[in-house]
Amino acid sequence: MEIPFFDLKRQYDCLKEELDNAFLRVFKKGIFILGENVRLFEEEFANFFGVRFAVGVGSGTEALHLSLKACEIGPGDEVITVPNTAVPTISAISFAGAKPILVDITQDTFTMNVKKIEEKITNRTKAILPVHLYGHPTEMEQITKLAKVYNLKTIEDACQAHGAKYRGKNTGTIGDLGCFSFYPTKNLGAYGDGGMIVTNNEELYKKLIMLRNYGEVKKFTSKIEGFNSRLDELQAAILRVKLKYLDEWNNKRRDIAMLYQQLLEGSNIQLPCEKEWSRHVYHLFVIRANKRDALKDYLEKHGIGTQIHYPIPIHQQKAYKILGYQVGDFPISERNAEEILSLPIYPELTTEEIEAVASLITEFQNLM
Ligand SMILES: Cc1ncc(COP(=O)(O)O)c(C=O)c1O
């Protein structure tokens, strides 16, 4: 049986007519930048997440970058985040001119160890940037508390966590700003790049609207220095269709995760945890196995696609040696990089496919 790590054709096949029509309507209208689809999608997204404002931007990376810019974070400033994240979390900080300061993760949720934040706060710290990795929320209470005490901004990287909840609240809506990616494989994915920033702060919202569009307050009148980072009409039209299915898809991901958990219970691999205060949306289903590479090869040989998120922690990436960290500085992230493996998880995965993946894992373990 061939089971790809992800398969976007399956989702398209289910929604073909709706998606084709959405695309065609944009072509026929002839407006491709900042038209009614972007405006309506921003409204719908804000309503869905229960926030006042949403700003469509070019990508998740840009959502983070513009958020930092809106908070006037730049050269000389420090932003606290984690070493086990997608590189764009970090490049957004360094492109804003600030320095990423890393804090290791917890062994169960693989998200920021909030007990280790305070020791990293200096008079240069301007923001905490937690990453709700794999779709599991970070413990936000302590972050919100520290942000208040030290007068810091909180910018949530919710690029993998559309619809995840922390104590009943949507991730991305708890801090000052929340950033989402619509990279095609995300829980809510476009057919190209796209991103969204959400906030309840009107001042930040107004700045973001300018920042994404050359700093303009009106056409050809730039009030601040800005960029070109806009969600486009075609992507917004597609995302408006898909947003209606997000809850259903997240529930399917949760069902698949539960089935994996049942089938793999009792094996000696670490399965994803879901804290009692969280709603995990399983953007990724990440296990930890001590013979990870052999397991990956075994699954590959049997037609099962897997990936590693992420194989090299940020401080060990050549591009970020400049941060000055050493091997051994973040032991949990470093060990995880050697042992984690992401299994296929997408709403269209069938029960037979999930059972096939789980039984191959069990078979592999019996061979060891
Ligand atoms: C945790 C995290 N942050 C940021 C990003 C950047 O998003 P994008 O690829 O849309 O720029 C991604 C997606 O790749 C991500 O997974």
Side-chain angles (χ1 to χ4, degrees), residues 59-61 64 85-86 88-89 131 157 159-160 181-183 186 194 310:
S59 66
T61 314
L64 292 162
T85 182
T89 310
V131 182
D157 182 339
C159 286
Q160 299 189 0
S181 163
F182 302 126
Y183 185 84
K186 296 292 196 256
Y310 295 93

Side-chain angles (χ1 to χ4, degrees), residues 85-196:
T85 182
V87 164
T89 310
I90 307 300
S91 56
I93 299 171
S94 45
F95 268 88
K99 182 172 184 194
I101 300 293
L102 307 179
V103 166
D104 210 355
I105 52 166
T106 62
Q107 188 54 82
D108 49 2
T109 66
F110 301 166
T111 59
M112 187 183 276
N113 184 344
V114 296
K115 294 196 190 101
K116 295 193 173 218
I117 299 174
E118 198 164 13
E119 65 201 53
K120 298 284 177 95
I121 295 176
T122 69
N123 57 9
R124 291 180 297 280
T125 310
K126 290 291 170 345
I128 306 175
L129 200 159
V131 182
H132 305 303
L133 200 72
Y134 309 149
H136 190 290
T138 305
E139 166 61 277
M140 290 301 292
E141 197 176 310
Q142 175 71 356
I143 292 176
T144 310
K145 224 183 270 172
L146 288 172
K148 215 176 215 167
V149 172
Y150 291 97
N151 192 25
L152 310 174
K153 293 285 188 219
T154 304
I155 300 171
E156 294 173 71
D157 182 339
C159 286
Q160 299 189 0
H162 316 65
K165 288 190 199 297
Y166 170 74
R167 297 191 192 280
K169 286 188 187 160
N170 281 308
T171 54
T173 69
I174 302 159
D176 297 283
L177 294 152
C179 301
F180 294 87
S181 163
F182 302 126
Y183 185 84
T185 56
K186 296 292 196 256
N187 290 30
L188 181 63
Y191 288 141
D193 278 312
M196 188 73 89

Side-chain angles (χ1 to χ4, degrees), residues 306-323:
T306 60
Q307 288 191 7
I308 299 166
H309 298 89
Y310 295 93
I312 309 172
I314 297 299
H315 64 294
Q316 293 178 266
Q317 297 274 359
K318 194 169 171 206
Y320 294 105
K321 287 276 182 246
I322 193 169
L323 298 179

